Every structure is written in C-alpha cells, then in structure tokens.
Amino acid sequence: MMLKSYSLAQLQQQVFIGLLAGAVGFAGWQGHQAARVEGPRPLADGSYQRQYESTFAGALPGRSLGTEFFAAAKLALLGEMAEGAVMGRDGWLFTTEELMPPKHVYDLAAELQAARGHLDPLGVQLLPVILPDKARVHAAKLPRRRSAPYQQRYPKAQALLAAAGYPVVDSLRALRAEGFMRTDTHWTPAGARAVAAEIAALLPTRDSRDRGDFETVALETAPFDGDLTRFAATGRFGGWAGITPEAIQTYETHSHVVQDLFGDVEIPVVLVGSSFSANPAFHFEGFLKSALGQDVLNMAQVGRGPFAPMHAYLGSEELRENPPEIVIWEIPERYLSLEPSPAQMPPLKISHTQNSQGD
C-alpha cells in the first residue's frame, strides 16, 4: 500500500478544511442550543427554523465568533498573526517594528544636535535614555534570531552617546532584570522603576532629607490587555491559541511637599518621550519622581514616538517660559536608523555645578 505524500500547502489546506467543518458544526450546535432555549415551538410556523438560522449565521466564520476561531486556529497551528506582530515562544508576542527597519528614519546624532541647539543656551542639561528592544531583552523568546544590524543598533547608539560626553544609562541591564510585558510592546512597571533608578544614579544627588518628597506605593494587581493581542484577534479563543491573560501591578505616587498656592511652581525635571513614558499603566513618571526626589513634568505622548514630542517641546512656550534643569529624553531603540551616522557630534559639556542640591 502506497502512502500519498502532501506538500506543505496541501497539508495546510487539509487542516483548514477540517477546521472549517468543525467551525460550521460548532456554529450549527450553537444555533440548535439557542433555539432550544426559546422553548418548544411549533415546527409548522417556521419560528424554530428562523431562530436556528439566525444564530447559526451569527456564529459562522466571517462573523465575530468565526473570525476569532479561525484566528486562534491559524495562530495555534501555524504561528501566524496579523501583520504588525509575531508570535514567539511560550506565548510571548513581539512587534514587527523591532524586526524590520523603521518606517521613518531618524538620525540620532542629528536629533541630539538639534535638541542641544535649543537647550544649551538655556542652561538645560539633556539626558538621552535609549531603551533596548523587547526583542533584545527577551531574545530567547523570539521565533528566530535577528540579523546583525539589529544586534548592533543598541550598542552603537550607546557608544555614540558616550563619545559625545553624555552620561550613559544602562537601561539594558535594568530591563534584563525586570523585563517587558509578555503580550505588550512596553516594559513592566518594575522595569520602568529599575530604569528610573539607573537614571537617578547618574544625576547629581539631592540632600537625603529631600529624597522623601515623593513616595510611590503599590496598589492592587489589575488585568492587563497587551497592545499586541489585537494582532492576534483570537478573542475568547486566546487561551486555546497560547495567549493567556496577563496582569499588571498598579502604583501611585504621592508628594509630601506643601505647595505655595500663590507662588510660582518650579519643576526641575522634564520627561519627553514615547508611550513608554506617557502611558500611566507603567508609572515611569512616578518612579522618576521617587528616585530623583524631584517633581517631573511629563511631556511624553502616546502614539507619536520619541522625536515628535521632543520637537513639540523644543518649540513650546513651556520651555521658553519655564526652562528646567534637566530634560530626560526616553528613546526606544526601534525608532533609530540601522545605518551608522556620517555626522560626528562635538563633545557635550555638562556642568554639574548648577545646583548640586537639586533645589
């Protein structure tokens, strides 16, 4: 007896035919169950049939349930998601933005020079903070290894900062310990807290009596829907496809400083960046306040990357009227060009005598 051989495409076709039959059978069962719930009805008047057909149609592939079912089947059997995300190992999801060149290319050296052109005349210190890709921190969870240009992007950016004289925040070390959310593009709150501590260790220290001005406390653990799950579209079948629910620890930061209601409020630190900083779920602003012992004005924006918010801040009335002591610029690695910059940045001179107590 000869065994028939199948190509991969044929095998996939056979699998989906089987899944289609199962989905139609399941939809029919739902229609039958829904019709039964309505109670006994005369078959002659057609009401049972109409109820059955209505529910059956609503459960067919192409409707919500069918779409979710087939998305889950595709993910579970073939490991495929909608364009924009990839399925890694053990239910980890990754954005494809970390696996391909950025759509909008920004030259880090040129962007830093432009920022310094606005901030240096005002005596404002700039601290860029490069955040490594989730695919770098959790490389063991990737479905495949990234190519050399992606491997080299983060260390090249850090080397550029060091050559220009910036204090270099070791955010990779902090995030290797605390990491990213499993189904989301962003870090965990614990990762945000670890990076805030790294930043505080590099900046001029405040008097120990002032470091208690802000206190961050843990609240409850809450359910969390990662932003990458929308690319799976598995809905109620997510667990069957390997995407299990995720939870996040929530925090709150309190100030113990009594503000003068009639005096000017000076905020010494401004935070600019992407949704890593702007999304309150990760509480980066609050962790910075506690770690630095200083108030922080958050000018980060969701959905605009790290460069557009900085451009907006540099041209803002806020900067002109209330220049801070320090601007912390959070920049995710995935927004940086994979090509080396031809421009050479002049060394950056940072003065540590401009208020060593941070008041």
Side-chain angles (χ1 to χ4, degrees), residues 78-109:
L78 306 176
E80 294 183 5
M81 302 178 65
E83 184 178 353
V86 297
M87 183 76 167
R89 296 183 173 91
D90 304 323
W92 281 74
L93 306 182
F94 295 86
T95 173
T96 55
E97 291 181 0
E98 296 182 352
L99 306 174
M100 59 180 60
K103 293 180 179 179
H104 305 287
V105 177
Y106 292 92
D107 184 280
L108 180 59

Side-chain angles (χ1 to χ4, degrees), residues 5-359:
S5 61
Y6 289 90
S7 67
L8 178 60
Q10 289 173 323
L11 181 59
Q12 290 179 354
Q13 184 181 38
Q14 294 297 321
V15 168
F16 277 103
I17 289 174
L19 290 174
L20 178 60
V24 171
F26 179 65
W29 174 82
Q30 273 209 325
H32 176 67
Q33 291 297 107
R36 288 182 59 191
V37 169
E38 295 295 323
R41 294 183 178 182
L43 295 178
D45 69 2
S47 60
Y48 183 94
Q49 180 182 351
R50 287 192 296 272
Q51 173 65 30
Y52 182 94
E53 290 176 346
S54 175
T55 308
F56 178 83
L60 275 174
R63 300 298 181 97
S64 175
L65 182 67
T67 300
E68 293 172 358
F69 177 81
F70 275 95
K74 186 178 180 182
L75 180 58
L77 296 177
L78 306 176
E80 294 183 5
M81 302 178 65
E83 184 178 353
V86 297
M87 183 76 167
R89 296 183 173 91
D90 304 323
W92 281 74
L93 306 182
F94 295 86
T95 173
T96 55
E97 291 181 0
E98 296 182 352
L99 306 174
M100 59 180 60
K103 293 180 179 179
H104 305 287
V105 177
Y106 292 92
D107 184 280
L108 180 59
E111 292 292 332
L112 290 171
Q113 285 180 321
R116 289 172 54 193
H118 287 80
L119 299 177
D120 285 356
L122 299 175
V124 179
Q125 177 180 343
L126 176 64
L127 179 64
V129 180
I130 309 298
L131 299 185
D133 288 340
K134 178 181 179 179
R136 180 180 303 279
V137 176
H138 298 286
K141 300 297 183 181
L142 282 173
R144 60 188 179 276
R145 181 180 174 85
R146 295 198 297 175
S147 61
Y150 295 94
Q151 299 287 343
Q152 298 165 5
R153 179 167 57 184
Y154 177 81
K156 283 185 176 180
Q158 294 288 75
L160 186 150
L161 296 183
Y166 289 98
V168 179
V169 178
D170 194 350
S171 53
L172 179 58
R173 177 177 61 187
L175 289 172
R176 272 182 175 155
E178 302 296 348
F180 284 70
M181 302 297 295
R182 178 171 47 82
T183 63
D184 197 86
T185 313
H186 304 89
W187 50 15
T188 63
R193 188 173 209 161
V195 172
E198 290 283 344
I199 292 172
L202 289 178
L203 293 177
T205 58
R206 297 195 70 189
D207 189 296
S208 60
R209 293 170 297 180
D210 295 331
R211 283 192 173 270
D213 287 352
F214 294 89
E215 179 184 9
T216 298
V217 296
L219 302 177
E220 70 277 2
T221 300
F224 181 80
D225 294 323
D227 61 3
L228 296 175
T229 59
R230 70 179 186 270
F231 295 102
T234 54
R236 69 207 80 183
F237 297 105
W240 181 73
I243 300 179
T244 54
E246 197 166 11
I248 192 169
Q249 178 68 54
T250 61
Y251 293 87
E252 190 172 73
T253 298
H254 304 280
S255 172
H256 299 299
V257 178
V258 179
Q259 298 286 357
D260 183 355
L261 297 179
F262 302 100
D264 293 333
V265 177
E266 295 184 359
I267 301 180
V269 180
V270 167
L271 171 63
V272 182
S274 69
S275 52
F276 279 83
S277 298
N279 192 325
F282 312 115
H283 205 70
F284 187 45
E285 174 191 334
F287 292 135
L288 278 176
K289 290 178 179 179
S290 294
L292 298 173
Q294 302 183 75
D295 203 357
V296 175
L297 175 63
N298 194 344
M299 300 295 288
Q301 299 178 30
V302 174
R304 301 197 66 199
F307 297 107
M310 177 56 85
H311 297 165
Y313 176 64
L314 294 176
S316 69
E317 183 179 350
E318 174 63 35
L319 175 61
R320 292 192 299 271
E321 299 296 329
N322 303 293
E325 297 174 16
I326 301 169
V327 170
I328 298 172
W329 190 5
E330 164 260 305
I331 306 173
E333 173 194 344
R334 69 176 184 268
Y335 289 94
L336 302 180
S337 171
L338 294 171
E339 300 297 327
S341 171
Q344 295 295 321
M345 292 175 54
L348 174 66
K349 297 180 180 180
I350 300 176
S351 173
H352 295 284
T353 61
Q354 55 170 4
N355 194 353
S356 60
Q357 298 301 315
D359 295 329

